[in-house]
Amino acid sequence: MIEKAAIAGWTVVAGAGTLAPRQRIRVAFAGEELVLWRGASGRLSAWANRCPHRGMRLSFGFVRGDELHCLYHGWRYGADGVCVGIPAHPDLVPPPTIRARAHRVAERDGLVFVAADAEHPMPLPVLGRVSAVGFRFARSVHIRAPAWEVRAALAAAAPFDLDVAGRHPLAAPGEEREDEVIVYRGAGMAAACAVQAVSGEETAVHGAVDGPQPDDPLALAVWLAAFRDGLEATVPVEEIGA
Amino acid sequence: MIHRSGARMLGPEDAVARDEWYAVAIDADVEPERGYRTRLLDVDIELTRDGEGAVACTAVVEGEVHRLPVELAHHHLWTTLGSPTHDVFAIPEADDDGRRFVSCGRVTVRASGLRIVENFLDMAHFPFVHTDILGEEAHPEVKPYRAEIRPNADEVWATECVFRQPRAALASDGAVDAEYQYRVPAPYAAILYKTSPNRADALDLVGIFVQPRREAICDVFPFYMLFDDDNSDAAVAQFEQMIFLQDKSILENQIPATLPLFAGAEIPTRADALSIAYRRWLKAKGLRYGTTPAGAEE
């Protein structure tokens, strides 16, 4: 039995630059899926990816202004998840009990952090910027390997010859999750790799970089793709076929 | 789960699901001397037509061959894994003078057949899923209608339905206030009666027969029984397939893929009166196949 932790830990689910205003995507979170969407005014929201009406994935919906509308019946939800309109009944004020399940979401250091809708989230990790620009998102890679293996490989293989400067577990006390952010640092430069355990066999790594060159994020993106390919190549061929 | 105790107990433990008739093929698709393999309620079955045209249906489970009954009804072949106490439902309007039957083929949908039927019974999605065809965003309102379970016939009906439609049928000239009636003659079938663009005094029928291959994978047979002397079968089928593929993109993205029947799982409104009656009817029957068990929701 899993008891809900009194304090909610964080999970990095995407890069902060991934979503422009009026865009929405589907992301994995704690064995479920979320719709991550940004309103016209820039506010980011992370909700359970189902409309309370008939279970339709809200990630197929459309953003109008600062509302997300379900594709199936056009039900309209405000930024806090509360249903504000049901087109089939134009004169009805929806009861406040109709709401999408909203989680806490924070953007920091080029990454999107989500915490389950508990009362007290843990403090966000302080990654420590080295330049005035700060961390910029590079890319996400999905790796067919368990999170423990990805974490061990990331700790051993530093990008750009940087050194591991810090490891920030994201699970709250009592939570059994492998999610963490590994920070690397060198002269005038830092990189962060956020490990997200998507399932027992799949792990996402979201990378951000803080460096002087405009193409530093591109360089980290290339490094992450090679890191993924290298790790997947170590899986024996007979297991791939199984 | 395959359950078998005695010679004729095939398929899931849900006797209610076993004791229904299901369309498992378009009659014309089963050719003489060629096996037609498909699946019903997790059980592999095969239809064969002999030289005289008679069709047999068999299931092979754990090496044992079981012969299943076959009925020809509404241009489809029907079978069952259990012992239905009723015949395949009738569609009396099918024999009307001048009415044409058009098969719209077979479409595989990765969703519970009950979700598929419920979607078919729904008017509120027209403006958003069938935009500028069966509805438009400027007129999304669902006016009150009557929904009821008819205990004597053991069917669910909706009557007095009206919806503003830009292009209600292939033969439509322009927007109309289309009048609808819905009939659910069996858990995995639905028929819609709507204003015929060609005959003011008659109703066209549009329907679906759903074949549950697994709890959340179905083959759907959409069909028309309509008054239309101008458009070819292919054109009518293409119109229906355009509509149905729009629904498929919804149906394969509902969570969960099965239909929850327990209170509080999903929130309906007045526009869902028919969906509410349908779910209540399924629950009263005790049907479990294709439903979400309580506690299994997201």
Side-chain angles (χ1 to χ4, degrees), chain A residues 1-16:
Chain A
M1 201 178 92
I2 300 164
E3 267 184 47
K4 193 171 184 182
I7 296 173
W10 294 96
T11 300
V12 176
V13 299

mmCIF file with all atom_site columns, all heavy atoms in Angstrom, chain A residues 1-16:
data_model
loop_
_atom_site.group_PDB
_atom_site.id
_atom_site.type_symbol
_atom_site.label_atom_id
_atom_site.label_alt_id
_atom_site.label_comp_id
_atom_site.label_asym_id
_atom_site.label_entity_id
_atom_site.label_seq_id
_atom_site.pdbx_PDB_ins_code
_atom_site.Cartn_x
_atom_site.Cartn_y
_atom_site.Cartn_z
_atom_site.occupancy
_atom_site.B_iso_or_equiv
_atom_site.pdbx_formal_charge
_atom_site.auth_seq_id
_atom_site.auth_comp_id
_atom_site.auth_asym_id
_atom_site.auth_atom_id
_atom_site.pdbx_PDB_model_num
ATOM 1   N N   . MET A 1 1  ? 0.846  -1.201 0.000   1.00 0.00 ? 1  MET A N   1
ATOM 2   C CA  . MET A 1 1  ? 0.000  0.000  0.000   1.00 0.00 ? 1  MET A CA  1
ATOM 3   C C   . MET A 1 1  ? 0.875  1.242  0.000   1.00 0.00 ? 1  MET A C   1
ATOM 4   O O   . MET A 1 1  ? 1.862  1.331  0.722   1.00 0.00 ? 1  MET A O   1
ATOM 5   C CB  . MET A 1 1  ? -0.891 -0.016 1.246   1.00 0.00 ? 1  MET A CB  1
ATOM 6   C CG  . MET A 1 1  ? -2.119 0.852  1.104   1.00 0.00 ? 1  MET A CG  1
ATOM 7   S SD  . MET A 1 1  ? -3.176 0.752  2.559   1.00 0.00 ? 1  MET A SD  1
ATOM 8   C CE  . MET A 1 1  ? -2.543 2.101  3.536   1.00 0.00 ? 1  MET A CE  1
ATOM 9   N N   . ILE A 1 2  ? 0.488  2.204  -0.821  1.00 0.00 ? 2  ILE A N   1
ATOM 10  C CA  . ILE A 1 2  ? 1.252  3.445  -0.886  1.00 0.00 ? 2  ILE A CA  1
ATOM 11  C C   . ILE A 1 2  ? 0.479  4.528  -0.148  1.00 0.00 ? 2  ILE A C   1
ATOM 12  O O   . ILE A 1 2  ? -0.654 4.840  -0.475  1.00 0.00 ? 2  ILE A O   1
ATOM 13  C CB  . ILE A 1 2  ? 1.484  3.883  -2.347  1.00 0.00 ? 2  ILE A CB  1
ATOM 14  C CG1 . ILE A 1 2  ? 2.262  2.797  -3.080  1.00 0.00 ? 2  ILE A CG1 1
ATOM 15  C CG2 . ILE A 1 2  ? 2.216  5.213  -2.401  1.00 0.00 ? 2  ILE A CG2 1
ATOM 16  C CD1 . ILE A 1 2  ? 2.214  2.915  -4.573  1.00 0.00 ? 2  ILE A CD1 1
ATOM 17  N N   . GLU A 1 3  ? 1.082  5.092  0.881   1.00 0.00 ? 3  GLU A N   1
ATOM 18  C CA  . GLU A 1 3  ? 0.446  6.194  1.585   1.00 0.00 ? 3  GLU A CA  1
ATOM 19  C C   . GLU A 1 3  ? 0.837  7.483  0.913   1.00 0.00 ? 3  GLU A C   1
ATOM 20  O O   . GLU A 1 3  ? 1.985  7.684  0.524   1.00 0.00 ? 3  GLU A O   1
ATOM 21  C CB  . GLU A 1 3  ? 0.915  6.219  3.042   1.00 0.00 ? 3  GLU A CB  1
ATOM 22  C CG  . GLU A 1 3  ? -0.013 5.457  3.963   1.00 0.00 ? 3  GLU A CG  1
ATOM 23  C CD  . GLU A 1 3  ? 0.440  5.584  5.403   1.00 0.00 ? 3  GLU A CD  1
ATOM 24  O OE1 . GLU A 1 3  ? 0.738  6.711  5.831   1.00 0.00 ? 3  GLU A OE1 1
ATOM 25  O OE2 . GLU A 1 3  ? 0.516  4.539  6.083   1.00 0.00 ? 3  GLU A OE2 1
ATOM 26  N N   . LYS A 1 4  ? -0.145 8.361  0.795   1.00 0.00 ? 4  LYS A N   1
ATOM 27  C CA  . LYS A 1 4  ? 0.161  9.658  0.190   1.00 0.00 ? 4  LYS A CA  1
ATOM 28  C C   . LYS A 1 4  ? 1.078  10.428 1.136   1.00 0.00 ? 4  LYS A C   1
ATOM 29  O O   . LYS A 1 4  ? 0.788  10.562 2.325   1.00 0.00 ? 4  LYS A O   1
ATOM 30  C CB  . LYS A 1 4  ? -1.141 10.436 -0.047  1.00 0.00 ? 4  LYS A CB  1
ATOM 31  C CG  . LYS A 1 4  ? -0.948 11.624 -0.937  1.00 0.00 ? 4  LYS A CG  1
ATOM 32  C CD  . LYS A 1 4  ? -2.287 12.235 -1.320  1.00 0.00 ? 4  LYS A CD  1
ATOM 33  C CE  . LYS A 1 4  ? -2.082 13.375 -2.285  1.00 0.00 ? 4  LYS A CE  1
ATOM 34  N NZ  . LYS A 1 4  ? -3.340 14.019 -2.646  1.00 0.00 ? 4  LYS A NZ  1
ATOM 35  N N   . ALA A 1 5  ? 2.192  10.903 0.599   1.00 0.00 ? 5  ALA A N   1
ATOM 36  C CA  . ALA A 1 5  ? 3.119  11.651 1.438   1.00 0.00 ? 5  ALA A CA  1
ATOM 37  C C   . ALA A 1 5  ? 2.476  12.963 1.855   1.00 0.00 ? 5  ALA A C   1
ATOM 38  O O   . ALA A 1 5  ? 1.733  13.579 1.103   1.00 0.00 ? 5  ALA A O   1
ATOM 39  C CB  . ALA A 1 5  ? 4.406  11.912 0.671   1.00 0.00 ? 5  ALA A CB  1
ATOM 40  N N   . ALA A 1 6  ? 2.757  13.393 3.096   1.00 0.00 ? 6  ALA A N   1
ATOM 41  C CA  . ALA A 1 6  ? 2.194  14.650 3.582   1.00 0.00 ? 6  ALA A CA  1
ATOM 42  C C   . ALA A 1 6  ? 2.798  15.824 2.806   1.00 0.00 ? 6  ALA A C   1
ATOM 43  O O   . ALA A 1 6  ? 2.166  16.837 2.594   1.00 0.00 ? 6  ALA A O   1
ATOM 44  C CB  . ALA A 1 6  ? 2.470  14.794 5.071   1.00 0.00 ? 6  ALA A CB  1
ATOM 45  N N   . ILE A 1 7  ? 4.045  15.661 2.401   1.00 0.00 ? 7  ILE A N   1
ATOM 46  C CA  . ILE A 1 7  ? 4.724  16.681 1.607   1.00 0.00 ? 7  ILE A CA  1
ATOM 47  C C   . ILE A 1 7  ? 4.943  16.106 0.215   1.00 0.00 ? 7  ILE A C   1
ATOM 48  O O   . ILE A 1 7  ? 5.380  14.967 0.066   1.00 0.00 ? 7  ILE A O   1
ATOM 49  C CB  . ILE A 1 7  ? 6.074  17.062 2.255   1.00 0.00 ? 7  ILE A CB  1
ATOM 50  C CG1 . ILE A 1 7  ? 5.807  17.699 3.628   1.00 0.00 ? 7  ILE A CG1 1
ATOM 51  C CG2 . ILE A 1 7  ? 6.858  17.998 1.360   1.00 0.00 ? 7  ILE A CG2 1
ATOM 52  C CD1 . ILE A 1 7  ? 7.061  17.955 4.427   1.00 0.00 ? 7  ILE A CD1 1
ATOM 53  N N   . ALA A 1 8  ? 4.595  16.893 -0.801  1.00 0.00 ? 8  ALA A N   1
ATOM 54  C CA  . ALA A 1 8  ? 4.708  16.399 -2.173  1.00 0.00 ? 8  ALA A CA  1
ATOM 55  C C   . ALA A 1 8  ? 6.081  16.730 -2.754  1.00 0.00 ? 8  ALA A C   1
ATOM 56  O O   . ALA A 1 8  ? 6.558  17.848 -2.615  1.00 0.00 ? 8  ALA A O   1
ATOM 57  C CB  . ALA A 1 8  ? 3.612  17.012 -3.038  1.00 0.00 ? 8  ALA A CB  1
ATOM 58  N N   . GLY A 1 9  ? 6.685  15.734 -3.369  1.00 0.00 ? 9  GLY A N   1
ATOM 59  C CA  . GLY A 1 9  ? 7.929  15.983 -4.090  1.00 0.00 ? 9  GLY A CA  1
ATOM 60  C C   . GLY A 1 9  ? 7.646  16.507 -5.484  1.00 0.00 ? 9  GLY A C   1
ATOM 61  O O   . GLY A 1 9  ? 6.487  16.625 -5.897  1.00 0.00 ? 9  GLY A O   1
ATOM 62  N N   . TRP A 1 10 ? 8.727  16.821 -6.190  1.00 0.00 ? 10 TRP A N   1
ATOM 63  C CA  . TRP A 1 10 ? 8.582  17.373 -7.541  1.00 0.00 ? 10 TRP A CA  1
ATOM 64  C C   . TRP A 1 10 ? 9.008  16.366 -8.593  1.00 0.00 ? 10 TRP A C   1
ATOM 65  O O   . TRP A 1 10 ? 9.780  15.452 -8.306  1.00 0.00 ? 10 TRP A O   1
ATOM 66  C CB  . TRP A 1 10 ? 9.453  18.623 -7.698  1.00 0.00 ? 10 TRP A CB  1
ATOM 67  C CG  . TRP A 1 10 ? 9.027  19.775 -6.848  1.00 0.00 ? 10 TRP A CG  1
ATOM 68  C CD1 . TRP A 1 10 ? 9.535  20.108 -5.623  1.00 0.00 ? 10 TRP A CD1 1
ATOM 69  C CD2 . TRP A 1 10 ? 8.017  20.739 -7.140  1.00 0.00 ? 10 TRP A CD2 1
ATOM 70  N NE1 . TRP A 1 10 ? 8.898  21.228 -5.130  1.00 0.00 ? 10 TRP A NE1 1
ATOM 71  C CE2 . TRP A 1 10 ? 7.960  21.635 -6.050  1.00 0.00 ? 10 TRP A CE2 1
ATOM 72  C CE3 . TRP A 1 10 ? 7.140  20.942 -8.211  1.00 0.00 ? 10 TRP A CE3 1
ATOM 73  C CZ2 . TRP A 1 10 ? 7.074  22.715 -6.000  1.00 0.00 ? 10 TRP A CZ2 1
ATOM 74  C CZ3 . TRP A 1 10 ? 6.257  22.017 -8.177  1.00 0.00 ? 10 TRP A CZ3 1
ATOM 75  C CH2 . TRP A 1 10 ? 6.230  22.881 -7.082  1.00 0.00 ? 10 TRP A CH2 1
ATOM 76  N N   . THR A 1 11 ? 8.504  16.530 -9.779  1.00 0.00 ? 11 THR A N   1
ATOM 77  C CA  . THR A 1 11 ? 8.952  15.765 -10.935 1.00 0.00 ? 11 THR A CA  1
ATOM 78  C C   . THR A 1 11 ? 9.176  16.760 -12.070 1.00 0.00 ? 11 THR A C   1
ATOM 79  O O   . THR A 1 11 ? 8.324  17.628 -12.296 1.00 0.00 ? 11 THR A O   1
ATOM 80  C CB  . THR A 1 11 ? 7.880  14.750 -11.380 1.00 0.00 ? 11 THR A CB  1
ATOM 81  O OG1 . THR A 1 11 ? 7.614  13.857 -10.300 1.00 0.00 ? 11 THR A OG1 1
ATOM 82  C CG2 . THR A 1 11 ? 8.347  13.944 -12.589 1.00 0.00 ? 11 THR A CG2 1
ATOM 83  N N   . VAL A 1 12 ? 10.309 16.646 -12.748 1.00 0.00 ? 12 VAL A N   1
ATOM 84  C CA  . VAL A 1 12 ? 10.506 17.468 -13.946 1.00 0.00 ? 12 VAL A CA  1
ATOM 85  C C   . VAL A 1 12 ? 9.853  16.728 -15.109 1.00 0.00 ? 12 VAL A C   1
ATOM 86  O O   . VAL A 1 12 ? 10.157 15.562 -15.361 1.00 0.00 ? 12 VAL A O   1
ATOM 87  C CB  . VAL A 1 12 ? 11.998 17.708 -14.224 1.00 0.00 ? 12 VAL A CB  1
ATOM 88  C CG1 . VAL A 1 12 ? 12.178 18.491 -15.530 1.00 0.00 ? 12 VAL A CG1 1
ATOM 89  C CG2 . VAL A 1 12 ? 12.639 18.468 -13.072 1.00 0.00 ? 12 VAL A CG2 1
ATOM 90  N N   . VAL A 1 13 ? 8.903  17.388 -15.796 1.00 0.00 ? 13 VAL A N   1
ATOM 91  C CA  . VAL A 1 13 ? 8.133  16.716 -16.838 1.00 0.00 ? 13 VAL A CA  1
ATOM 92  C C   . VAL A 1 13 ? 8.438  17.223 -18.243 1.00 0.00 ? 13 VAL A C   1
ATOM 93  O O   . VAL A 1 13 ? 8.037  16.602 -19.236 1.00 0.00 ? 13 VAL A O   1
ATOM 94  C CB  . VAL A 1 13 ? 6.610  16.841 -16.586 1.00 0.00 ? 13 VAL A CB  1
ATOM 95  C CG1 . VAL A 1 13 ? 6.229  16.188 -15.259 1.00 0.00 ? 13 VAL A CG1 1
ATOM 96  C CG2 . VAL A 1 13 ? 6.161  18.300 -16.617 1.00 0.00 ? 13 VAL A CG2 1
ATOM 97  N N   . ALA A 1 14 ? 9.106  18.369 -18.354 1.00 0.00 ? 14 ALA A N   1
ATOM 98  C CA  . ALA A 1 14 ? 9.357  18.962 -19.678 1.00 0.00 ? 14 ALA A CA  1
ATOM 99  C C   . ALA A 1 14 ? 10.337 20.110 -19.511 1.00 0.00 ? 14 ALA A C   1
ATOM 100 O O   . ALA A 1 14 ? 10.709 20.477 -18.384 1.00 0.00 ? 14 ALA A O   1
ATOM 101 C CB  . ALA A 1 14 ? 8.057  19.481 -20.311 1.00 0.00 ? 14 ALA A CB  1
ATOM 102 N N   . GLY A 1 15 ? 10.749 20.677 -20.637 1.00 0.00 ? 15 GLY A N   1
ATOM 103 C CA  . GLY A 1 15 ? 11.575 21.877 -20.624 1.00 0.00 ? 15 GLY A CA  1
ATOM 104 C C   . GLY A 1 15 ? 10.705 23.111 -20.672 1.00 0.00 ? 15 GLY A C   1
ATOM 105 O O   . GLY A 1 15 ? 9.631  23.112 -21.281 1.00 0.00 ? 15 GLY A O   1
ATOM 106 N N   . ALA A 1 16 ? 11.187 24.171 -20.040 1.00 0.00 ? 16 ALA A N   1
ATOM 107 C CA  . ALA A 1 16 ? 10.358 25.382 -19.924 1.00 0.00 ? 16 ALA A CA  1
ATOM 108 C C   . ALA A 1 16 ? 10.112 26.035 -21.275 1.00 0.00 ? 16 ALA A C   1
ATOM 109 O O   . ALA A 1 16 ? 9.085  26.665 -21.484 1.00 0.00 ? 16 ALA A O   1
ATOM 110 C CB  . ALA A 1 16 ? 11.017 26.367 -18.965 1.00 0.00 ? 16 ALA A CB  1
#
